[in-house]
Amino acid sequence: MVDDTWSGALHRLWQAASRAEEVAALADDVYAPLLATPGVHLVVGTRWDEKHVLRYMRALSAGSDNPVIVATTRSMPGAAVREPGGAPVVTRSAVEGLDDSVWPEAEFLRQAPGASVVACTFRLDQRGWAALALAVDGTADLAAVESRLAQAVDVIVACHTGILQRGREARRASDDALLAEASLQMDSSLDVEDTLRRVARIAVPAVADGALVHLLRGEGPEFVAATHVAVQQQRALEEAGRHDPWLAALLARRGEDEDTVFLSGAALDGSPFAEAVAEAVPASVAEAATGAVTEAATESVGTAGADATAADARPAGDGPHPTVVSISTLRARGRVVGSITFVYQRPEARLPDSAFLRSLATRAALAIDNALLYELRRTAVLSLQEHLLPSQLPESVQWDLSASYAVGDPMLDVGGDFYDAVPRPDGSIALLIGDVCGRGAEAAALTGLARHTLRTLLEEGTDPGTALSRLNRALRQERASRFLTAVVATLTPRPDGTALLSTCSAGHPPPLVLRSDGTVSEVLSGGLLLGVLDDVSYESHEERIAPDDTLVLFTDGLTESREAGGAFFESVLPARLSALRGSGAAHIAESLAQQAETFRDSGQDDIALLVARWTGVPPGAGLLPHDPRIEQAALR
């Protein structure tokens, strides 16, 4: 028996309620002082759901330390007459007048001494209600018993309300953290399909047990990604996302509806979810999937009258939870970009609310839309870049030509690098490469002007120096705000199989010549930048190249690629080029571009290469073969 006065017991009860993480933890602090009240012999607590199903009972007699706990799912429609509407309701009844279809506690109350029952029914939340019933004898002060019972119920309700509030706050904090992490993950990729896959992966298992993402294309929803907490269901979800007619029709009907829709029960008839997913996900797996949701975020369903928290937290004994499916439209900047479908196998209390799903869908839609816009921009930029470069290079048995272009700017502004190869009336070929300062539309315009001006003049037989001077004059007349560099190299066949290399440069990095024996030399060049001063003349430098010699022209994006230690690729370029002796022009161009990209830790300039291997004779006639071992040794 407890000797403390009721006021002291009530004080301790309030203290326990402030610390409790579940209402069931208050059971001892509630039952003991009530049983210490004179004339009270038994306390019985019951918990009911919203459908008048008895979930459990807890009974404790005076003088006993071992409560009787009955966990059940007994449907008792007659108990509806006891359900409280708003405020707690205290009633007095005679034991012999109790109806067993209304009072399941009667089996315990009849065994206790006394002829009266004082009971209080009270609502804890929208999902159900609870009751405390006391068996009292004729010596009890019924007014005092009712007062104490009402005060105990006030503590229980306040404790439950506080737990719910803390749970909602924890849930909001958890949701906010998940949304923030989702934004970071989704925004870290500008690839559309990768972004969609990230959306699916982020949501499982924190939000749902399965997720499917569809992108809206011209012909309708197109499946992109799916994931599921049960590995064996991954393929089933993917198959449903791609081919299931029920889902396809549902997504098509959804159209531009912005509200998230939840489907369950009969609404899922004919769907792939009620069959494949529900059958294959064991309850243990479904419960494990909710591990990302903290216990603090789970609304308590216990009462002070029973140790039923564990019973309510675990699945019912008849199998996994019913399947619930939600569909959210992904809308960004006034247009629908797709939809995300979540599949749930978890208690109703752990389903996300519509507001959270709308927020997640909005963030996902913006990330997807950004990726789509980036894809469109990338396609447009690459298309424009292709039109600024020759579609193909001229072919001849006397030379082996190839080029490479690597975009260095992750924002994909159009670069100013250009190249071309122009056969000339005298049988020579003119190779040109240039670089406009800066990026963007203006740089692209100057790139087109420079390349087409030089190409037209060189095709007509204009010598390189004059062609560069006329381009400089055109830039000055157009009052171009940007300067550019360029170099023109002509290869003129000689009767002995060699070629006369004539190089004319306008401030461009000097070309390199890879000799057949592996030595590398720099072509002398100079000249002023184009577009800076009026009336500039350019001089040519001449030298001979022999069969199997290779001329390499490039922009400064190659040489200025910089590694983490500060060294430029220019410092290793001769050795890297020498290791490529015997290679074809295509291999040299691609290899140098890839090596520079791998080498650089900083720098975002484009890399353009134009490579001409002079044969003078048909390919393979006595030329030295390429040795890949030499190339690999140079990379070490």
Side-chain angles (χ1 to χ4, degrees):
M1 297 292 292
V2 178
D3 297 326
D4 293 340
T5 63
W6 172 253
S7 60
L10 187 62
H11 177 70
R12 288 195 301 276
L13 179 59
W14 276 110
Q15 287 182 321
S18 66
R19 299 188 301 267
E21 295 183 359
E22 55 185 41
V23 177
L26 296 180
D28 291 339
D29 294 287
V30 171
Y31 279 45
L34 287 176
L35 287 172
T37 302
V40 176
H41 297 278
L42 176 73
V43 180
V44 184
T46 54
R47 177 72 168 94
W48 306 80
D49 67 17
E50 71 277 15
K51 297 180 180 179
H52 307 110
V53 174
L54 177 65
R55 304 298 299 180
Y56 57 80
M57 289 192 296
R58 184 181 194 275
L60 182 64
S61 301
S64 174
D65 294 328
N66 299 314
V68 177
I69 299 174
V70 179
T72 180
T73 55
R74 189 194 317 171
S75 178
M76 300 185 67
V81 299
R82 297 178 60 195
E83 182 178 356
V89 179
V90 178
T91 60
R92 299 179 187 177
S93 306
V95 172
E96 62 270 15
L98 298 180
D99 183 349
D100 287 2
S101 67
V102 177
W103 290 80
E105 308 100 313
E107 62 177 295
F108 294 104
L109 293 171
R110 293 191 185 103
Q111 299 174 16
S116 299
V117 176
V118 178
C120 181
T121 56
F122 52 97
R123 183 165 294 282
L124 288 173
D125 50 55
Q126 295 180 347
R127 297 195 303 274
W129 52 282
L132 279 177
L134 310 181
V136 299
D137 62 23
T139 65
D141 182 347
L142 294 181
V145 171
E146 290 179 358
S147 175
R148 293 185 178 188
L149 181 58
Q151 290 174 344
V153 167
D154 286 342
V155 178
I156 294 171
V157 173
C159 177
H160 184 74
T161 301
I163 291 173
L164 292 182
Q165 180 62 30
R166 291 192 296 273
R168 284 190 289 268
E169 292 174 355
R171 182 66 173 268
R172 282 195 295 269
S174 176
D175 288 349
D176 290 344
L178 177 61
L179 290 173
E181 178 64 20
S183 294
L184 288 174
Q185 289 291 328
M186 291 184 292
D187 292 343
S188 65
S189 174
L190 287 175
D191 179 84
V192 175
E193 293 196 3
D194 182 57
T195 299
L196 289 164
R197 285 190 291 268
R198 286 170 182 260
V199 172
R201 288 197 299 267
I202 288 169
V204 176
V207 177
D209 302 285
L212 299 105
V213 184
H214 287 78
L215 189 65
L216 184 62
R217 298 290 193 186
E219 299 179 355
E222 176 185 316
F223 169 77
V224 178
T227 188
H228 197 279
V229 68
V231 177
Q232 66 269 29
Q233 281 305 297
Q234 182 79 24
R235 293 181 180 176
L237 271 186
E238 291 176 352
E239 183 68 17
R242 287 191 178 93
H243 305 299
D244 186 75
W246 183 93
L247 181 60
L250 178 62
L251 295 180
R253 289 198 305 271
R254 290 282 298 159
E256 297 189 1
D257 191 348
E258 296 184 10
D259 293 332
T260 294
V261 61
F262 284 86
L263 305 173
S264 61
L268 293 178
D269 289 347
S271 77
F273 308 113
E275 299 174 4
V277 176
E279 292 175 0
V281 183
S284 59
V285 175
E287 288 300 310
T290 63
V293 182
T294 63
E295 287 298 322
T298 305
E299 294 187 349
S300 172
V301 295
T303 71
D307 295 325
T309 301
D312 272 9
R314 63 177 177 265
D318 55 354
H321 297 282
T323 299
V324 178
V325 173
S326 69
I327 302 175
S328 300
T329 300
L330 302 178
R331 175 185 291 274
R333 298 180 179 92
R335 65 189 184 93
V336 175
V337 298
S339 65
I340 182 167
T341 302
F342 290 134
V343 182
Y344 311 93
Q345 286 286 130
R346 56 185 62 186
E348 181 181 350
R350 291 184 176 179
L351 297 180
D353 57 32
S354 297
F356 172 81
L357 291 178
R358 282 196 301 271
S359 182
L360 180 62
T362 297
R363 294 164 189 250
L366 287 174
I368 293 168
D369 193 53
N370 286 336
L372 287 170
L373 292 175
Y374 180 83
E375 184 180 76
L376 290 174
R377 179 182 179 183
R378 182 175 183 273
T379 301
V381 167
L382 293 179
S383 177
L384 177 57
Q385 196 83 65
E386 289 176 359
H387 283 83
L388 294 174
L389 300 172
S391 58
Q392 61 182 14
L393 298 174
E395 298 180 358
S396 171
V397 295
Q398 292 183 306
W399 61 68
D400 173 20
L401 288 181
S402 189
S404 177
Y405 196 105
V407 177
D409 180 18
M411 296 307 295
L412 284 179
D413 277 329
V414 182
D417 293 14
F418 63 93
Y419 61 83
D420 208 342
V422 184
R424 290 161 55 82
D426 62 357
S428 64
I429 183 173
L431 309 176
L432 61 99
I433 194 166
D435 186 1
V436 177
C437 175
R439 310 184 67 86
E442 186 177 359
L446 288 181
T447 298
L449 172 65
R451 177 185 161 231
H452 290 292
T453 298
L454 289 176
R455 180 180 180 87
T456 299
L457 293 173
L458 293 171
E459 279 182 330
E460 294 175 349
T462 306
D463 69 89
T466 301
L468 289 173
S469 296
R470 291 179 63 176
L471 173 58
N472 181 74
R473 186 161 57 249
L475 294 173
R476 297 295 294 168
Q477 290 173 350
E478 292 291 331
R479 297 185 178 181
S481 61
R482 300 172 184 250
F483 62 84
L484 62 94
T485 66
V487 63
V488 178
T490 59
L491 294 174
T492 305
R494 309 300 296 177
D496 59 359
T498 63
L500 178 64
L501 170 62
S502 178
T503 308
C504 191
S505 177
H508 197 81
L512 297 178
V513 175
L514 171 62
R515 303 294 180 179
S516 60
D517 61 359
T519 59
V520 176
S521 60
E522 187 177 274
V523 177
L524 296 178
S525 61
L528 190 66
L529 303 174
L530 295 163
V532 177
L533 298 176
D534 298 327
D535 301 326
V536 179
S537 60
Y538 297 91
E539 297 181 355
S540 298
H541 168 77
E542 295 183 351
E543 62 181 277
R544 293 287 184 96
I545 61 172
D548 204 25
D549 288 348
T550 302
L551 177 66
V552 180
L553 297 87
F554 48 87
T555 56
D556 58 9
L558 180 76
T559 55
E560 293 179 3
S561 294
R562 192 171 187 174
E563 68 171 356
F568 290 97
F569 192 70
E570 181 180 20
S571 63
V572 299
L573 177 56
R576 300 286 182 92
L577 179 57
S578 177
L580 293 169
R581 60 184 176 273
S583 299
H587 181 71
I588 293 176
E590 292 298 328
S591 178
L592 289 179
Q594 291 175 6
Q595 290 182 42
E597 288 187 285
T598 303
F599 181 88
R600 74 176 167 195
D601 181 70
S602 62
Q604 297 179 346
D605 202 2
D606 291 0
I607 298 174
L609 287 125
L610 181 60
V611 179
R613 184 187 187 197
W614 183 256
T615 63
V617 293
L623 302 182
L624 293 177
H626 168 58
D627 188 346
R629 292 174 298 178
I630 300 177
E631 179 183 351
Q632 291 299 319
L635 298 177
R636 296 192 182 102

